[in-house]
Amino acid sequence: KQKGTLVGGFALVPCVSSYSPDGKHIASASNDKTVTIWDAESMEEAGSVKGHSAAVNSVAVSPSSRFVASGSGQEIKSDNSVRIWDV
């Protein structure tokens, strides 16, 4: 059964999202160079971070749910970096 749909705040999501271990948030990577944090209950955007100079194609949430790691790589247009965000 579908719980909800994340809508808006990104262009073409190349990476399916990553749930935080506490289940409260979802992080999604996007071709628009951003990582978006979503409230898992309401499915509303809770914030976003920018810093990559190319599409973000991977995302993971730390076990503490405090940090998000995002990667841009393996594509012609990538910045070949992993960034750690304190969210």
Side-chain angles (χ1 to χ4, degrees), residues 10 23 33 36 40 52 58 64 70 73 75 77 85-86:
F10 50 77
K33 308 173 191 173
T36 303
H52 285 282
S58 61
S64 69
S70 60
E75 294 183 16
K77 293 182 179 181
W85 310 94
D86 186 347

Side-chain angles (χ1 to χ4, degrees), residues 2-34:
Q2 181 174 327
K3 178 175 163 61
T5 303
L6 304 175
V7 178
F10 50 77
L12 298 175
V13 180
C15 172
V16 178
S17 307
S18 176
Y19 263 93
S20 62
D22 63 11
K24 294 181 180 179
H25 295 94
I26 302 166
S28 64
S30 178
N31 281 340
D32 69 0
K33 308 173 191 173
T34 65

Side-chain angles (χ1 to χ4, degrees), residues 9 28 32-38 45-51 85 87:
S28 64
D32 69 0
K33 308 173 191 173
T34 65
V35 173
T36 303
I37 309 300
W38 305 86
E45 184 175 333
S48 65
V49 291
K50 291 185 176 186
W85 310 94
V87 295

